[in-house]
Amino acid sequence: MNEQELMEAAAAAIVAADEEKAVDLARQALELGLDPVKVINLGYSEGMKQVGDLFERGQVFLPEVIIASEAMVAAVDILEEGLPEAEKEKTAGIAVLGTIEGDVHDIGKGIVATLLRVYGFEVHDLGRDVPLDDFVAKVKETGAHIVGSSALMTTTMVGQRTLEQKLKDAGLRDKVKTMVGGAVVTQHWADKIGADGYAEDAQEAVQKAIEIAETMRG
Ligand code: B1M
C-alpha cells in the first residue's frame, strides 16, 4: 500500500467507524515510516470531516459519530508513538490550552497539545468544556506566553471573543498572546475578535506558536 492509498483507507476506516481497521492502518503507517502528523491530517481527520458532513445531512446519527471518534482517538494514540520524544531540555514557551465552555469536542485540541509538547512547549491542557475564567486563572498562575482555545461549534466560538475581553479585564492581555482554532474558526474570525494567531491544523498551530513565542522573547 502506498502513502496515498493508506490515507484514503484511513479516511474510509473512520467513515466506516471501524476501529480495528483504523488502528491496523496506523500501525502500517508507522511501519512504512510515514509522517504521523501528515497521516492524521490528510487521512483520519479527512475521514472525520466526511463523518461530520454525513451527520449534517442526516445520513449518520450521533452514536455512529461517537464510534467514529473513538476509532480516530485509538488511531491517533498509535500514531503519537511515532512522534519524536518531547524536548525536555529547553522550553519553547508556556501554553495554556482548552476547548471553550459548552463544547465537548477535544480530539483536535488534544493533537495540538501533543504536537506543542513535542516541539518543546510546557503545555497546560485544561481539557474540554472549560469555563472561561479557568483559562484566565491558569494564565495568571503559570505566566503563560500563549493561551489557545479550540471551538468546534458556532455556538461556542463566541466564547473565544469573551475570553479576549476577560483577559483584558484581568489586566493580562498585554502579557499573553491568544491563539484560536477548531473546525468553525477562521482567520477572519481571529482578526475580528483580535486574537493574535489562528491555525487551520495542528502542524500550523505549532508553527504559529513558535513564531509567537519568539516575538515575545524579543
Ligand atoms: Co460534533 N459537531 N457535536 N461531535 N462533531 C461537529 C463540530 C459539527 C460541525 C458536525 C456537523 O453538523 N457537520 C457540528 C457543529 C455545527 C456547528 O456549530 N457549526 C457538531 C454538533 C452539532 C454536535 C452536537 C451538538 C450534536 C448533538 O448532540 N446533537 C454535539 C455537541 C455537544 C457539545 O459539545 N456540547 C456533538 C458531539 C460530538 C461527539 C461527542 C459525538 C464527537 C466529539 C468527540 C470528541 O471530540 N471527544 C463529535 C465529532 C467527532 C464531530 C465531528 C464529526 C468531527 C470533529 C473532529 O474531531 N474532527 C465534527 C464535524 C467536523 O468537524 N467537520 C462535529 C477531527 C479533528 C482532528 O479536527 O477538531 O477540527 P478538529 O481539529 C483540527 C483543527 O481544527 C485544528 O487542529 C486540529 C488538528 O488538525 N485545531 C486547532 C483545533 N483546535 C485548535 C486550536 C488551535 C489551533 C488549531 O489553537 C489553539
Side-chain angles (χ1 to χ4, degrees):
M1 194 181 288
N2 66 28
E3 185 180 43
Q4 185 57 31
E5 284 164 350
L6 191 136
M7 302 287 191
E8 284 166 17
I14 297 302
V15 175
D18 185 341
E19 180 169 331
E20 214 181 305
K21 183 86 187 156
V23 164
D24 181 48
L25 287 162
R27 291 210 177 96
Q28 284 187 47
L30 293 184
E31 278 160 22
L32 288 168
L34 303 182
D35 174 0
V37 177
K38 200 171 167 194
V39 177
I40 292 172
N41 281 340
L42 302 180
Y44 294 97
S45 293
E46 196 43 50
M48 266 335 299
K49 270 189 209 131
Q50 291 174 30
V51 171
D53 293 344
L54 291 167
F55 175 68
E56 209 171 308
R57 293 203 297 269
Q59 288 170 292
V60 301
F61 298 97
L62 206 53
E64 289 145 292
V65 181
I66 294 172
I67 300 168
S69 53
E70 284 167 359
M72 164 115 193
V73 170
V76 169
D77 279 352
I78 303 279
L79 287 165
E80 283 180 355
E81 289 166 17
L83 291 172
E85 278 286 299
E87 301 236 12
K88 294 192 181 74
E89 303 301 311
K90 65 172 176 79
T91 305
I94 303 172
V96 168
L97 275 191
T99 303
I100 293 286
E101 66 187 352
D103 198 326
V104 302
H105 298 90
D106 65 352
I107 299 174
K109 184 265 305 156
I111 298 170
V112 172
T114 300
L115 274 200
L116 283 175
R117 286 195 182 103
V118 166
Y119 282 85
F121 280 83
E122 176 186 321
V123 178
H124 299 267
D125 186 349
L126 301 176
R128 57 189 180 175
D129 189 12
V130 178
L132 301 180
D133 290 334
D134 289 8
F135 284 95
V136 177
K138 202 67 181 177
V139 168
K140 213 180 270 176
E141 180 196 321
T142 59
H145 302 97
I146 298 172
V147 56
S149 63
S150 190
L152 272 281
M153 299 192 292
T154 43
T155 47
T156 53
M157 63 192 277
V158 290
Q160 295 177 322
R161 179 166 49 197
T162 313
L163 180 58
E164 291 285 330
Q165 190 55 49
K166 281 186 177 279
L167 290 165
K168 278 183 201 145
D169 295 346
L172 292 169
R173 191 58 188 88
D174 56 347
K175 297 188 180 74
V176 69
K177 299 283 182 190
T178 56
M179 255 182 77
V180 291
V184 290
V185 177
T186 59
Q187 181 66 57
H188 177 71
W189 173 249
D191 294 341
K192 194 170 161 186
I193 65 172
D196 299 301
Y198 159 76
E200 195 175 342
D201 59 39
Q203 187 71 57
E204 198 185 326
V206 171
Q207 281 158 16
K208 290 274 170 75
I210 290 171
E211 281 166 30
I212 289 173
E214 273 168 6
T215 63
M216 291 185 81
R217 276 196 290 271

